Amino acid sequence: MPRTRLHIGCGPQILPGWTNVDNQTYPGVDHVLDVTLGLPFRDVEYVFAEHFIEHLSFDDAFNFMRECRRVLATDGTLRLTTPNLDWVMETHYRRESWASDVDAIDSCFRTNRAFRGWGHQFLYNCQSLEATLRLAGFGSIEGCTYGESRHEPLRGVERHETYPDAPSLPHILVLEASGHGAEAPRGVRAAIDEFHSAIDTI
Ligand SMILES: C[S@@+](CC[C@H](N)C(=O)[O-])C[C@H]1O[C@@H](n2cnc3c(N)ncnc32)[C@H](O)[C@@H]1O
């Protein structure tokens, strides 16, 4: 009996052999559901979510990662692909390269577009994504490159359009999380609490 492989927030990018999940009824979607309400699966081998978590609020993304940990089998792996905040800042807001007010204005709009465009709600750098995965209960976090994995079924699964990487700075973060229960770095909870108190004042 083949084990369950979940492709979450698949959009129109259907992966054969995977259980494709989205909250929209794209052709080929196997389960139409809002995953912020929980994942009705168990003993899952892999969860793959490409350009998905940035479309959730931080809290929803954190709860989603916790749900992934809960439904994954002991030897299961979560693979997340999401825009790299370091790349966004490096390529969108370079004060040293401004030659005119037009350049400054362009940087301002491009940066806000990266944060707010396409339904984006929260962008991560590598450290914050890793810390959030650890808080969600994962013990081992591994950085990968686009299309590559030491797990054969996770190789070549990305479908989203790519952008030119900055020198030594990839435009996306690709992390694989597995295992249980390492400590998150000190200070993470304080940063999240401060973020909450600012967001909750809206
Ligand atoms: C930017 S698209 C990414 C699609 C595809 N993974 C790709 O990389 O091209 C984000 C997808 O997440 C889906 N989505 C957003 N919120 C969701 C939720 N709460 N539950 C399930 N799917 C959701 C959207 O419908 C959309 O198809």
Side-chain angles (χ1 to χ4, degrees):
M1 174 99 173
R3 299 176 70 191
T4 304
R5 298 174 181 176
L6 296 178
H7 178 200
I8 305 291
C10 59
Q13 308 293 351
I14 301 304
L15 291 179
W18 289 69
T19 301
N20 297 280
V21 177
D22 203 282
N23 63 359
Q24 305 296 313
T25 54
Y26 292 107
V29 169
D30 299 294
H31 286 270
V32 177
L33 62 97
D34 176 358
V35 301
T36 64
L37 302 176
L39 291 173
F41 305 94
R42 57 198 285 265
D43 205 27
V44 172
E45 183 181 23
Y46 295 111
V47 179
F48 170 56
E50 179 183 22
H51 282 270
F52 171 65
I53 54 165
E54 70 271 18
H55 294 265
L56 302 182
S57 69
F58 176 79
D59 285 359
D60 281 343
F62 174 58
N63 288 333
F64 167 69
M65 292 177 212
R66 278 211 303 210
E67 272 294 277
C68 289
R69 181 55 282 171
R70 186 183 68 78
V71 304
L72 277 165
T74 312
D75 62 346
T77 299
L78 165 66
R79 181 179 176 98
L80 296 175
T81 306
T82 191
N84 181 357
L85 176 59
D86 288 347
W87 177 87
V88 169
M89 299 309 290
E90 176 81 13
T91 57
H92 290 44
Y93 206 82
R94 308 196 63 176
R95 296 188 68 197
E96 66 281 8
S97 68
W98 293 348
S100 67
D101 285 356
V102 172
D103 292 339
I105 292 163
D106 182 61
S107 279
C108 173
F109 276 85
R110 278 161 46 82
T111 305
N112 276 283
R113 186 186 62 177
F115 278 101
R116 305 296 299 275
W118 307 283
H120 288 178
Q121 298 208 41
F122 194 93
L123 298 185
Y124 301 79
N125 57 18
C126 190
Q127 294 84 348
S128 61
L129 183 54
E130 178 169 344
T132 308
L133 284 162
R134 290 196 187 285
L135 274 182
F138 287 94
S140 168
I141 320 289
E142 200 175 332
C144 302
T145 52
Y146 187 95
E148 294 300 325
S149 174
R150 65 190 175 81
H151 302 271
E152 194 277 326
L154 292 174
R155 281 182 214 141
V157 285
E158 275 85 20
R159 294 286 183 276
H160 201 275
E161 75 175 299
T162 56
Y163 301 91
D165 291 332
S168 72
L169 195 54
H171 72 287
I172 47 166
L173 301 170
V174 186
L175 292 190
E176 288 182 357
S178 58
H180 280 91
E183 287 289 305
R186 280 155 57 94
V188 181
R189 286 186 194 279
I192 294 172
D193 286 348
E194 277 190 41
F195 175 73
H196 273 144
S197 50
I199 293 291
D200 292 346
T201 58
I202 295 170

